[in-house]
Amino acid sequence: MKKILVLEDEISIRSFVVINLNRAGYEVIEAGTGAEAFEQLRIHPDIKVAILDIMLPDTDGFEVCRKIRAADPHIGIIMLTARTQEMDKVTGLMTGADDYVTKPFSPAELTARIDALFRRTGVAGAVESGEIVQGPFRLNTRNRTLEKEGARIKLTQVEYSIMKMFMDNPGKALSREDILNTVWGRDYFGELKIADVNIRRLRIKIEDDPTNPTYITTVWGYGYKWGL
Ligand code: CA
């Protein structure tokens, strides 16, 4: 069964999420504090997706996100944000989250986001094999890993998918819609900005000088282009 961690200290919201995810066929592990979340992740190493509230009694969701991501590059992470926390979305994504859902959210919206994340973090890589080598970059599509000049670069599953899309399309301008459709899926109904934030984070990891990117260049008013 697909296992999800829900970290939320407000019992009413947590119950609402748990009931709806159970109904959608997920097994849900609950936590009310950051400490409980780490304990549950230790007990259940097969948790594939974590849903993290931001305001918590003992820590904040970004710190939890940072620690989970540092320990596990493959787990899917969705932040729960309030409408007033617009900037927090970006902060959350920069600390390693894959997606965010704004409160109040509908069960259908949350489930759709989780389903999409499961598809992306799934075993899609297992059916492919081989490597793509371009310039200093070596993308191993079997292990879903990236090396630059022989040194491993740790990527999240979303970053890997973006990188693969770029390396499959060298020199071609890709629109943000194309990237969103390929990486997040056509049924994803989030914002284009999520592509920008993930690409900003990817640049920090792969560019020689992230403030002056040369591999992932911006195509103004359209999207991005991969080149060497
Ligand atoms: Ca809270």
Side-chain angles (χ1 to χ4, degrees), residues 4 45 59 74 77 98 113 116 148 168 200 212 225 228:
I4 297 180
T59 180
H74 300 298
I77 302 177
D98 297 293
R113 298 294 185 87
K148 181 183 180 187
D168 281 340
R200 196 189 312 164
N212 183 24
K225 190 171 78 173
L228 297 166

Side-chain angles (χ1 to χ4, degrees), residues 78 99-101 108-117 188-190:
I78 298 176
D99 202 353
Y100 57 84
V101 173
E109 182 184 6
L110 183 63
T111 308
R113 298 294 185 87
I114 293 168
D115 289 345
L117 200 49
Y188 178 80
F189 48 99

Side-chain angles (χ1 to χ4, degrees), residues 162-163 166 179 198-200 202-204 206-207 210 212-219 223-228:
I162 295 172
M163 195 64 192
F166 278 136
I179 296 168
N198 272 279
I199 286 169
R200 196 189 312 164
L202 186 57
R203 276 173 168 163
I204 292 170
I206 68 154
E207 293 284 351
N212 183 24
T214 55
Y215 300 115
I216 303 173
T217 49
T218 301
V219 182
Y224 299 92
K225 190 171 78 173
W226 172 254
L228 297 166

Side-chain angles (χ1 to χ4, degrees), residues 4-6 41 47-52 68 75-79 117:
I4 297 180
L5 174 77
V6 175
L41 284 164
I47 289 172
K48 295 284 194 298
V49 168
I51 298 170
L52 309 177
I68 293 176
I75 192 168
I77 302 177
I78 298 176
M79 307 300 294
L117 200 49

Side-chain angles (χ1 to χ4, degrees), residues 142-200:
R142 191 189 294 271
N143 303 331
R144 296 169 73 83
T145 55
L146 177 71
E147 288 180 2
K148 181 183 180 187
E149 285 156 355
R152 173 73 63 87
I153 294 177
K154 275 193 180 178
L155 298 182
T156 67
Q157 291 298 310
V158 167
E159 290 162 358
Y160 169 84
S161 299
I162 295 172
M163 195 64 192
K164 172 138 191 331
M165 187 181 182
F166 278 136
M167 292 181 79
D168 281 340
N169 296 280
K172 184 181 171 194
L174 302 173
S175 73
R176 295 149 89 223
E177 287 86 353
D178 286 341
I179 296 168
L180 211 63
N181 284 339
T182 301
V183 176
W184 278 266
R186 285 189 187 279
D187 52 353
Y188 178 80
F189 48 99
E191 301 157 39
L192 285 172
K193 194 169 66 176
I194 198 167
D196 299 325
V197 177
N198 272 279
I199 286 169
R200 196 189 312 164

Side-chain angles (χ1 to χ4, degrees), residues 51-88:
I51 298 170
L52 309 177
D53 181 34
I54 292 168
M55 300 287 280
L56 296 163
D58 61 336
T59 180
D60 72 76
F62 298 129
E63 192 53 31
V64 176
C65 174
R66 204 185 332 269
K67 285 183 181 160
I68 293 176
R69 179 57 78 213
D72 183 350
H74 300 298
I75 192 168
I77 302 177
I78 298 176
M79 307 300 294
L80 293 181
T81 70
R83 281 209 189 284
T84 49
Q85 295 168 320
E86 186 70 20
M87 279 313 293
D88 289 350

